[in-house]
Amino acid sequence: MKPFDWIVLAATLLFIVLYGLYKGRGSRNLKGFLLADRQMKWYTVALSIMATQASAITFTSTPGQAFVDGMRFIQFYLGLPLAMVILSITAVPIFHKLGVYTAYEYLEHRFDLKTRILTSLIFLSSVDLL
C-alpha cells in the first residue's frame, strides 16, 4: 500500500472511533449502550441487522466462494429473512423475559460462565477460519 492509502485507512478508522464516541456519549450503562436507550425506530434496527448480515467479509468472500463452489450457497442468503422472522418470534421474547441482550448472556444464564466463554471462543475461532 502507498502512503496515501495508509492515510485514508487511518483517517477512516479515526473517524469511525470518534463518531462512535460522539454517538455513545449519552450512554451511562450497558443497557443504554446496547439498546440505544430504546430510542431507535424499528426500521433503523432492521437496517442495522441487514447491514450486519451483509458485512464486508460477505462482499469480499462471495465471488471467491462462487468461483470455487458455484452459486448453490446463495440459497442460504435467500433464507435469511425467514430466519429473522422465526428468531423474532421465538428467541427475542425469551431474551426479553430473561433480561439478556446476547446469545452468550443467555447461555451463561441457562448454563454457566464456562459455557459462555467456550461458545464465544468457538465462534471467534470459526470466524477466523472463514
Side-chain angles (χ1 to χ4, degrees):
M1 286 179 36
K2 294 182 169 50
F4 181 73
D5 297 327
W6 286 107
I7 292 169
V8 170
L9 178 63
T12 302
L13 291 175
L14 181 66
F15 173 76
I16 290 169
V17 169
L18 292 175
Y19 184 72
L21 289 172
Y22 170 74
K23 292 301 280 185
R25 69 191 181 284
S27 297
R28 298 289 176 237
N29 55 31
L30 184 63
K31 184 177 180 181
F33 177 75
L34 291 176
L35 300 178
D37 289 324
R38 299 191 183 271
Q39 299 298 314
M40 293 177 68
K41 305 278 190 238
W42 70 267
Y43 51 85
T44 307
V45 174
L47 287 173
S48 173
I49 292 169
M50 291 184 69
T52 302
Q53 291 294 327
S55 64
I57 193 70
T58 302
F59 286 112
T60 56
S61 67
T62 300
Q65 188 176 0
F67 178 76
V68 172
D69 294 331
M71 294 294 285
R72 65 179 175 261
F73 69 92
I74 202 77
Q75 65 188 334
F76 296 112
Y77 293 112
L78 297 175
L80 281 176
L82 178 60
M84 292 299 147
V85 170
I86 291 170
L87 285 172
S88 296
I89 293 170
T90 59
V92 171
I94 294 169
F95 281 27
H96 184 70
K97 184 175 90 171
L98 295 174
V100 297
Y101 307 123
T102 68
Y104 302 110
E105 279 184 294
Y106 173 74
L107 289 172
E108 181 180 359
H109 182 48
R110 175 69 172 84
F111 300 104
D112 60 3
L113 181 61
K114 292 181 287 191
T115 305
R116 177 182 181 169
I117 292 171
L118 176 65
T119 54
S120 300
L121 291 173
I122 290 171
F123 174 76
L124 290 173
S125 66
S126 68
V127 169
D128 188 35
L129 295 174
L130 295 176

